[in-house]
Amino acid sequence: MDGRLPAMALKCAACGQCRPVCPSFGASGGWEHESPRGRVLLSGDLLAGKVAWTPGAVETLSRCLLCNSCVAECPSGVPVDDIILEARAKRARDLGLPAGKRALGRVLARPGLLALLARTGAVLAGVAGGGGNRIRWPPLRRAGTGGRLVPTPARQALSAQAAPRGTPTFVFYRGCLIEHVTTEAGLALVGLARLAGEEPAFLPGEVCCGLPVLAWGDIAGFRRLAARNIKLFGVTDLPVVTACATCTATLRKYYVKYPPPGLEAEARELAGRVQDAVEFLAARELPAGRGRLGRYTYHQPCHHHKGIERKVDGSALLSRLGGVDYVPPSDPAACCGFGGSFSVDHYAESRALAQSRLENLLATGASGVATACPGCLVHLRDAIAQGGHDFEAVHVLELMWRALRSG
Amino acid sequence: MTAESPPLQELARLLPGRVETDAARRHCYAFDASHYSRRHPRAPLAVALPAAVEEVQALVRWAGRHRVALIPRGAGTGQASGAVPVGNAVVVDLSGMNAVRELNLADLQVVVEPGVIPEQLNQALAPEGFFFPPDPGSVKMCTIGGMVANNASGMRAVKYGTTKHYVLGLEVVLADGSVITTGGARSRVLKTVSGYDLTGLFTGSEGTLGIITAIRLRVVPLPAARGLVLATFSDLERAGRGVQAVFRAGLVPSALEIMDRSALRAVRAYRPELSVPETEAVLLVEMDGLPGAVEEALERAAAALREVADEVSFSQDPTECERLWGARRALRSASGRLAEGVGVVTAGEDIGVPISRVPEALGGIRRILRETGVLATVYGHVGDGNIHVALLADTRDEAEVSRAELAADRLHLLALELGGTTTAEHGVGISRAQYMEQEHGPALAVMRAIKRALDPGGIMNPGKMGL
Ligand SMILES: Cc1cc2nc3c(=O)[nH]c(=O)nc-3n(C[C@H](O)[C@H](O)[C@H](O)COP(=O)(O)OP(=O)(O)OC[C@H]3O[C@@H](n4cnc5c(N)ncnc54)[C@H](O)[C@@H]3O)c2cc1C
Ligand code: SF4
Ligand code: SF4
């Protein structure tokens, strides 16, 4: 363990400023232990051995979405995410990982197996589950009441859908969801990049960015995944572009904070080369969109602006699009409640958060919301479908692509 | 008593799903924002999260039956250990009772539950052109119940007064489980002299006399304009004289704040984009009112300050002002950014002195810090003589912590020597109970008599305020 961490918990002035911004605190009805401050003080004392594990402690730590809303708010600069990750790592060491998490960790490390399972729909549904919530597969269109609506995985992986044309100018790091689920967003990036005179390379053998594995406290497993990606992308010095806010934050921040042993410098080098698709396109010339797509609002993914140094703002792309009227939401910073495995382990809270986020977005009067993280996208689509709203959630890349091709 | 003991099982049945007995989760309630609670964490037997006044009554009756103390708690941002347990106690967390019951702007008042956060109330009032003026540094996260219980105030107290000036009436659950409404059972008036001032008695009682379950508050029209004068000083005591210069110019600022060199460094570390000056001290003077009047007041304040300050600048840009105030509010927590490995030791942080003695107090504070060798930021609502000192220490280092505690004690004594108070707004709690005798003399016996009359069983937040 990083010996500085209990010290980082001591930095916490216990001021409570993080309480009102924490989505899981809000969803809990006001319990201190569900607030960032509660988690920091508890984690610090768990790590220092002053408090013993209880079922409540495990549960409380698992309810953090790692959205970093608290980190962005904290005046003392407390790295709440690191402290919670270390406490979860201690939980994994002391109490072991649930079998489902261990199995999913192995799947995420093996691209072939992941592809196979994505096709059969087992990843989100079965392996990550065990939380008791009902996930129905393959629905979004078909599932009825109550259960979670998750998207049907793409029939073909993104990298199989987009044939290479000529010499690559950047590496497209797809990550799990863009490669297997929201492939339209990936195709849109390919199309947009080509309009800007850029050509993607799909490196075979990339693995999951590792955040889900890190999030449940398997730091060694995370380092193994990071090592594979760092070595893979080390063979080139092209920019590495992602279309997922979580992948961007993970490659830039957590690879550097939790580098695989011996690859510290390489992790930093890669972090400097990673670009979010939003930044990549913002810096390039694109033709003006011709079609009129109507009013859209924007959901800023937490991983684009909270607790990170290089912030990304996809709404700038929307405003740049000729055919879209951009209406900002009254609360631009709210979390959608996805939180990766949080949404699997605590679906009821996760869904309640998505609903309140959605209400704020619907209040703009827009006909849809764009975002830049496939996690937020999948989660908002669930909430939209559950509520039967005539409202679209779309990746900002896909919306841009539509604007440029229509008319 | 353990979770399995019959009284706690009975408690769990009173509020199904909203009583917590898990040991690790209870541990989270051993703390508020005080140093004392970090140093001596004591977890409660259980925590209850009531949703309605009837549930609070049931809790109080239960506590009376089983002789268990109740600790009312808002957001736990108090800095005096007021909301943490002493002995066998159950914490009553009021964060969940957060409805705005009435927005009655025709009568210039609102009725809120104790868990409402003041900034959220102000967000609801702003479109109507009103506000609730008291603005502690914790305005974004504390509760109005906690503000009333502590009679909190903040930067605007110099013009708008403290929380008590806005409390028109309270709904309180007493130690026997009954409920009273102070300020007139059905009243919606703005003033009354009927009967003893029970509203005033419960305001600032720190949860020792009853649990506040609703608050009727006066609200006032939002000023049309605000502006800010920033004056820099190469000498801290001279900044203290700047305070008097502002009042002598015939002005009532809506805020008058000081930040010393270390405080400025902490703000720079927290919000580098604000580019606050590097100097010994700054005074921030806010004027509010009608736009023309604000402009004139700013000019007069600037002229008065030029006599004593090195440099004077002003701004009427609302976003710029708000960003500066935001950084100022976060100063206590941001102070920890001054050095690696240090945290804020919240003790001795809230002294108040007569404003004529502010320069002396600032000199005295510097002397104490020098002699004890403690790093600190000094800032505060100097316009009403309230000076905050955020002592810093590596809290794992016993010697450093003892030095900070010694400094805190000396700061309290300094305040009393200068005809001041050990706490101008944060409250007594456990942290300052030891000074009550010295600060109040025989008046403390009257407080104890009131406490006995209202809470003969001693179940309401015992061990606080030296009662
Ligand atoms: C960064 C920071 C800045 C601050 N700045 C200021 C400032 O400028 N001015 C200022 O005055 N204070 C300030 N404070 C102190 C504190 O925030 C205020 O006193 C605040 O009003 C406390 O509210 P709370 O809800 O957190 O109360 P808590 O800390 O939860 O409780 C405080 C006391 O009130 C009692 N209490 C709480 N709710 C009730 C209730 N419903 N019924 C009965 N008793 C109750 C508790 O038992 C306890 O004794 C600051 C604190 C921090 C952390
Ligand atoms: S990361 Fe998000 S969910 Fe976790 S404690 Fe911070 S604000 Fe709450
Ligand atoms: S984590 Fe930061 S914001 Fe939250 S209580 Fe601690 S110091 Fe305050």
Side-chain angles (χ1 to χ4, degrees):
Chain A
M1 189 191 68
D2 183 339
R4 288 181 325 131
L5 276 152
M8 292 318 298
L10 292 175
K11 269 267 179 225
C12 168
C15 68
Q17 189 167 327
C18 48
R19 281 173 36 118
V21 301
C22 172
S24 67
F25 173 71
S28 82
W31 291 107
E32 176 66 31
H33 49 263
E34 301 296 343
S35 77
R37 176 177 63 183
R39 292 195 182 101
V40 165
L41 296 176
L42 176 60
S43 300
D45 284 350
L46 281 165
L47 288 165
K50 292 185 195 160
V51 174
W53 286 108
T54 62
V58 172
E59 178 85 9
T60 280
L61 287 175
S62 81
R63 280 178 199 273
C64 166
L65 293 89
L66 293 178
C67 67
N68 280 341
S69 301
C70 49
V71 178
E73 183 70 24
C74 174
S76 306
V78 175
V80 183
D81 52 341
D82 288 338
I83 293 170
I84 289 172
L85 287 173
E86 288 293 346
R88 287 181 178 176
K90 181 174 163 62
R91 178 203 58 189
R93 281 195 305 275
D94 294 354
L95 310 175
L97 278 176
K101 304 272 192 225
R102 274 206 308 274
L104 183 55
R106 285 196 294 273
V107 172
L108 293 177
R110 294 179 56 190
L113 195 53
L114 177 64
L116 183 70
L117 285 173
R119 298 290 85 70
T120 57
V123 177
L124 279 171
V127 196
N133 54 303
R134 287 181 298 156
I135 293 191
R136 304 197 176 169
W137 195 273
L140 204 57
R141 267 161 274 108
R142 268 189 287 128
T145 55
R148 181 179 194 180
L149 303 181
V150 284
T152 317
R155 231 171 281 127
Q156 241 189 337
L158 167 67
S159 48
Q161 293 180 47
R165 299 184 192 162
T167 320
T169 58
F170 72 97
V171 174
F172 186 175
Y173 173 67
R174 288 95 64 204
C176 310
L177 287 175
I178 296 280
E179 173 75 347
H180 295 297
V181 181
T182 51
T183 50
E184 327 76 57
L187 285 173
L189 174 59
V190 173
L192 290 163
R194 283 179 178 154
L195 282 180
E198 304 279 354
E199 180 60 29
F202 301 106
L203 297 192
E206 68 163 45
V207 287
C208 167
C209 70
L211 191 65
V213 179
L214 180 65
W216 64 66
D218 182 3
I219 294 184
F222 172 76
R223 288 193 160 119
R224 280 195 295 278
L225 290 169
R228 298 239 342 227
N229 285 330
I230 292 170
K231 286 186 195 146
L232 181 69
F233 298 126
V235 302
T236 136
D237 53 11
L238 293 176
V240 173
V241 179
T242 98
C244 167
T246 299
C247 295
T248 301
T250 306
L251 267 58
R252 282 184 188 168
K253 175 174 174 179
Y254 294 111
Y255 279 19
V256 175
K257 284 212 157 178
Y258 297 90
L263 292 175
E264 293 81 359
E266 289 82 353
R268 274 196 304 278
E269 188 280 324
L270 174 61
R273 216 157 20 102
V274 169
Q275 285 185 37
D276 195 276
V278 165
E279 299 166 317
F280 186 73
L281 293 175
R284 279 163 181 78
E285 289 288 329
L286 284 170
R290 283 166 296 169
R292 296 219 58 82
L293 300 182
R295 283 155 70 86
Y296 278 83
T297 187
Y298 186 74
H299 170 73
Q300 171 86 303
C302 293
H303 286 148
H304 261 175
H305 68 124
K306 292 173 183 167
I308 48 168
E309 273 165 28
R310 288 162 63 193
K311 299 186 176 26
V312 181
D313 181 6
S315 71
L317 284 185
L318 269 193
S319 331
R320 201 178 118 185
L321 272 185
V324 170
D325 294 324
Y326 167 54
V327 225
S330 65
D331 185 350
C335 170
C336 71
F338 176 59
S341 47
F342 173 84
S343 68
V344 180
D345 296 337
H346 306 290
Y347 180 58
E349 287 95 326
S350 178
R351 180 172 158 190
L353 288 165
Q355 255 150 12
S356 83
R357 180 58 182 141
L358 182 61
E359 275 158 32
N360 184 256
L361 297 170
L362 289 169
T364 59
S367 57
V369 56
T371 187
C373 183
C376 305
L377 193 58
V378 163
H379 201 53
L380 288 170
R381 282 181 178 162
D382 175 25
I384 292 168
Q386 304 265 8
H389 300 286
D390 184 16
F391 190 72
E392 176 193 32
V394 59
H395 198 295
V396 66
L397 297 171
E398 209 187 325
L399 194 64
M400 284 185 83
W401 184 229
R402 214 187 280 167
L404 289 178
R405 285 202 313 176
S406 64
Chain B
M1 226 182 267
T2 64
E4 288 76 39
S5 63
L8 285 184
Q9 288 186 340
E10 185 190 331
L11 178 70
R13 282 193 300 274
L14 286 179
L15 273 72
R18 276 172 294 115
V19 172
E20 187 57 75
T21 52
D22 180 273
R25 290 178 164 184
R26 288 187 283 118
H27 183 71
C28 298
Y29 283 88
F31 309 99
D32 65 358
S34 67
H35 166 64
Y36 180 90
S37 68
R38 279 300 261 288
R39 201 126 150 87
H40 309 281
R42 286 197 210 99
L45 294 172
V47 184
L49 193 71
V53 59
E54 294 76 19
E55 292 186 346
V56 176
Q57 288 180 273
L59 283 169
V60 171
R61 293 200 180 105
W62 170 86
R65 278 199 301 281
H66 299 288
R67 303 187 170 282
V68 173
L70 293 182
I71 317 292
R73 179 179 169 108
T77 69
Q79 309 195 17
S81 303
V84 299
V86 171
N88 260 356
V90 168
V91 166
V92 182
D93 186 338
L94 294 141
S95 312
M97 285 181 66
N98 58 2
V100 175
R101 288 197 193 160
E102 246 179 66
L103 272 189
N104 177 355
L105 297 174
D107 292 321
L108 302 176
Q109 56 195 275
V110 300
V111 180
V112 298
E113 290 185 343
V116 172
I117 295 172
E119 183 167 270
Q120 288 170 358
L121 173 64
N122 277 330
Q123 277 161 4
L125 288 170
E128 315 287 334
F130 285 87
F131 80 128
F132 165 57
D135 62 333
S138 49
V139 68
K140 282 173 111 174
M141 65 276 195
C142 75
T143 67
I144 295 179
M147 287 181 73
V148 174
N150 268 8
N151 187 18
S153 52
M155 303 192 295
R156 305 222 157 92
V158 59
K159 174 169 178 179
Y160 290 97
T162 65
T163 299
K164 74 173 177 202
H165 296 111
Y166 297 87
V167 185
L168 298 169
L170 295 171
E171 178 184 275
V172 187
V173 176
L174 300 176
D176 63 359
S178 60
V179 188
I180 59 163
T181 300
T182 69
R186 283 190 304 276
S187 168
R188 288 294 178 270
V189 293
L190 290 176
K191 64 178 200 182
T192 168
V193 292
S194 169
Y196 282 158
D197 180 10
L198 296 181
T199 306
L201 176 65
F202 285 101
T203 304
S205 65
E206 300 192 14
T208 62
L209 300 179
I211 301 182
I212 298 162
T213 50
I215 302 142
R216 185 161 65 91
L217 285 176
R218 187 162 73 93
V219 296
V220 298
L222 262 174
R226 284 186 179 131
L228 204 58
V229 178
L230 189 147
T232 65
F233 297 84
S234 54
D235 176 85
L236 182 60
E237 289 184 46
R238 204 142 45 75
R241 288 201 290 280
V243 175
Q244 290 165 52
V246 173
F247 291 111
R248 282 216 201 90
L251 299 166
V252 183
S254 50
L256 208 178
E257 294 285 311
I258 193 167
M259 293 191 252
D260 82 341
R261 166 176 289 282
S262 312
L264 292 167
R265 264 180 53 212
V267 171
R268 265 197 302 282
Y270 173 48
R271 290 279 180 254
E273 71 278 8
L274 287 177
S275 58
V276 295
E278 278 181 67
T279 178
E280 272 310 302
V282 303
L283 284 185
L284 282 171
V285 186
E286 188 194 77
M287 296 292 172
D288 69 358
L290 296 172
V294 168
E295 207 159 304
E296 190 182 336
L298 289 176
E299 272 162 25
R300 285 201 195 187
L305 283 165
R306 273 198 199 97
E307 308 274 305
V308 275
D310 300 330
E311 267 172 60
V312 178
S313 54
F314 41 115
S315 166
Q316 274 183 280
D317 172 22
T319 27
E320 194 181 329
C321 294
E322 201 25 66
R323 278 166 65 205
L324 251 180
W325 283 138
R328 158 62 194 87
R329 280 194 203 101
L331 193 46
R332 170 186 172 276
S333 310
S335 297
R337 295 191 187 234
L338 265 194
E340 257 309 297
V342 300
V344 181
V345 172
T346 303
E349 82 292 351
D350 186 38
I351 62 168
V353 296
I355 51 175
S356 64
R357 307 194 76 173
V358 163
E360 237 175 301
L362 292 172
I365 291 168
R366 272 287 159 91
R367 183 164 23 82
I368 291 169
L369 294 176
R370 201 172 46 243
E371 287 169 9
T372 52
V374 177
L375 183 65
T377 58
V378 179
Y379 57 96
H381 320 308
V382 72
D384 49 34
N386 186 185
I387 306 170
H388 295 320
V389 182
L391 302 168
L392 297 164
D394 179 338
T395 42
R396 291 159 303 174
D397 180 336
E398 272 303 312
E400 261 188 52
V401 173
S402 310
R403 279 204 301 278
E405 287 172 347
L406 176 68
D409 184 46
R410 288 188 54 190
L411 288 167
H412 287 135
L413 298 177
L414 170 75
L416 293 177
E417 233 167 75
L418 294 174
T421 174
T422 55
T423 176
E425 55 180 24
H426 293 172
V428 179
I430 302 174
S431 308
R432 282 175 274 270
Q434 74 212 74
Y435 306 105
M436 285 292 280
E437 197 87 58
Q438 198 175 343
E439 191 161 345
H440 296 284
L444 181 60
V446 178
M447 295 187 209
R448 287 179 175 147
I450 294 173
K451 167 77 176 168
R452 270 196 307 279
L454 285 177
D455 179 21
I459 60 167
M460 287 293 175
N461 209 0
K464 311 291 163 72
M465 290 177 84
L467 296 170

